[in-house]
């Protein structure tokens, strides 16, 4: 049975769409048939990060309104055979999303896919609520700063109270924490919350820590999920996230300041 996974946060700009793109790509690279859906109706950024913006003909809202079939709207990723993208509309309002319509599309996708990744908009407006309503699991993305963590805590409250599982009294959504833009040096200087601080405040299992890296911006601008960049620390960290999600015992990395050896300090190599 397909699993519906929402990638969410309370605050904007924390790296949700970057995380959705790399997480979905990582699942697909491991042989899982995966679709990632952009719920950010009216803005639409997932297609840019996935590098398929010029291939968008029909979108999520077209399918909701029966203006196209799901097959017509799905875009197959050029780098990974098992990965598909369902883009959002740039010209519609978030009110176009209906619970019945979203459920119909998810049920249709469940017939063909192993994983359905829902890229949620920030905040608690309708698009975000629709993205999380039918979720089986949630990846809560946060930066190691107080306002971001506080907003993520608010999202955890909504997952526990307003999701379909919560309303039906079913087994709760399985929650995972991903901390992005982490800089160990700033943590040491007291300018940023530590991983332990964030874990203590949110009290959900840590799935991974993504270090701050210029490679994320470079990959996004190139329309390539950063997980494809095996040389970047962020790409490696997202690969670790997928490994842990799949149940592998993968040690946490990138939590401490890298110690520079004498030769590196002298020769820069």
């Amino acid at each position: 049975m397909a699993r519906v996974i929402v990638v969410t946060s309370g605050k904007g700009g924390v790296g949700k769409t970057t995380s959705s793109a790399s997480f979905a790509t990582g699942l697909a690279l491991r042989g899982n048939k995966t679709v990632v859906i952009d719920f950010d109706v009216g803005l639409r950024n997932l297609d840019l990060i996935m590098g398929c913006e010029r291939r968008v003909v029909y979108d999520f809202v077209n399918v909701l309104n029966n203006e196209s079939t799901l097959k017509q709207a799905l875009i197959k990723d050029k780098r990974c055979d098992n990965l598909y993208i369902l883009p959002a509309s740039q010209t519609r309002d978030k009110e176009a999303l209906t619970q019945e319509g979203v459920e119909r599309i998810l049920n249709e996708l469940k017939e063909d896919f192993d994983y359905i990744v829902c890229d949620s908009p920030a905040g608690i407006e309708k698009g975000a609520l629709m993205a999380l309503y039918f979720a089986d699991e949630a990846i809560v993305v946060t930066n190691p700063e107080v306002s971001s963590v506080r907003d993520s805590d608010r999202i955890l409250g909504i997952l526990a109270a307003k999701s379909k599982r919560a309303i039906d009294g079913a087994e709760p959504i399985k929650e995972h924490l991903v901390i992005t833009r982490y800089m160990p040096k700033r943590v040491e200087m007291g300018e940023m919350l530590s991983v332990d601080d964030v874990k203590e405040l949110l009290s959900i299992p840590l799935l991974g820590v993504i270090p701050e890296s210029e490679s994320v911006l470079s990959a996004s601008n190139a329309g390539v999920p950063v997980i494809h960049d095996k040389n970047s620390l962020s790409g490696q960290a997202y690969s670790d996230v997928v490994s842990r999600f799949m149940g592998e015992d993968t040690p946490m990395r990138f939590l401490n300041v890298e110690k520079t050896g004498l030769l590196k300090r002298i020769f820069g190599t």
Side-chain angles (χ1 to χ4, degrees):
M1 186 66 175
R3 299 290 286 176
V4 179
I5 305 154
V6 63
V7 180
T8 183
S9 75
K11 194 171 184 289
V14 301
K16 270 189 315 305
T17 300
T18 294
S19 297
S20 295
S22 283
F23 179 70
T25 298
L27 291 174
L29 288 171
R30 287 169 171 263
N32 302 290
K33 194 171 181 184
T34 305
V35 58
V36 56
I37 307 173
D38 190 347
F39 273 80
D40 203 355
V41 175
L43 291 178
R44 198 175 88 186
N45 288 313
L46 179 64
D47 57 309
L48 291 170
I49 290 178
M50 299 297 296
C52 64
E53 68 277 7
R54 295 183 181 179
R55 298 166 59 203
V56 176
V57 179
Y58 295 106
D59 57 51
F60 192 8
V61 175
N62 289 137
V63 183
L64 280 167
N65 292 340
N66 295 309
E67 296 162 351
S68 78
T69 65
L70 185 56
K71 188 174 182 180
Q72 286 176 304
L74 286 172
I75 300 171
K76 186 175 182 179
D77 186 72
K78 288 185 174 181
R79 302 174 192 87
C80 186
D81 287 340
N82 293 313
L83 183 59
Y84 291 78
I85 301 97
L86 182 57
S89 171
Q90 276 187 310
T91 59
R92 309 292 181 98
D93 186 84
K94 290 178 174 64
E95 295 303 313
L97 298 177
T98 65
Q99 203 169 93
E100 297 77 15
V102 171
E103 184 174 26
R104 172 175 59 83
I105 291 174
L106 290 178
N107 286 339
E108 191 174 342
L109 289 169
K110 285 178 181 179
E111 295 176 7
D112 293 320
F113 288 90
D114 300 310
Y115 291 102
I116 301 167
V117 179
C118 301
D119 179 29
S120 171
I124 55 174
E125 43 71 50
K126 187 171 184 179
L129 295 177
M130 284 291 113
L132 66 81
Y133 185 77
F134 295 102
D136 300 308
E137 304 193 42
I139 295 176
V140 179
V141 181
T142 190
N143 292 157
E145 50 139 26
V146 173
S147 63
S148 181
V149 173
R150 182 185 64 182
D151 290 350
S152 293
D153 196 36
R154 172 84 167 120
I155 288 294
L156 289 173
I158 292 172
L159 288 167
K162 293 189 176 182
S163 65
K164 188 175 189 300
R165 284 176 172 266
I167 292 167
D168 292 347
E171 183 181 347
I173 291 174
K174 188 175 181 180
E175 298 161 342
H176 311 272
L177 174 63
V178 170
I179 302 173
T180 55
R181 307 195 69 175
Y182 196 72
M183 300 175 69
K185 191 168 185 179
R186 290 191 64 188
V187 172
E188 278 193 358
M189 296 169 66
E191 297 175 353
M192 185 175 276
L193 295 176
S194 69
V195 168
D196 288 339
D197 291 334
V198 179
K199 285 169 62 179
E200 183 177 351
L201 289 166
L202 295 180
S203 300
I204 60 173
L206 179 65
L207 192 61
V209 177
I210 314 299
E212 178 71 272
S213 172
E214 291 182 2
S215 61
V216 172
L217 180 59
S218 299
S220 296
N221 287 338
V224 181
V226 73
I227 196 170
H228 283 296
D229 185 355
K230 304 299 183 184
N231 294 321
S232 78
L233 298 185
S234 294
Q236 294 169 37
Y238 276 117
S239 184
D240 288 353
V241 163
V242 176
S243 297
R244 294 187 198 99
F245 182 83
M246 300 301 295
E248 298 174 17
D249 185 13
T250 305
M252 288 287 174
R253 298 190 281 171
F254 318 118
L255 305 186
N256 302 308
V257 177
E258 183 182 354
K259 302 300 182 184
T260 306
L262 179 60
L263 289 177
K264 189 169 184 179
R265 290 200 301 271
I266 296 173
F267 298 106
T269 60

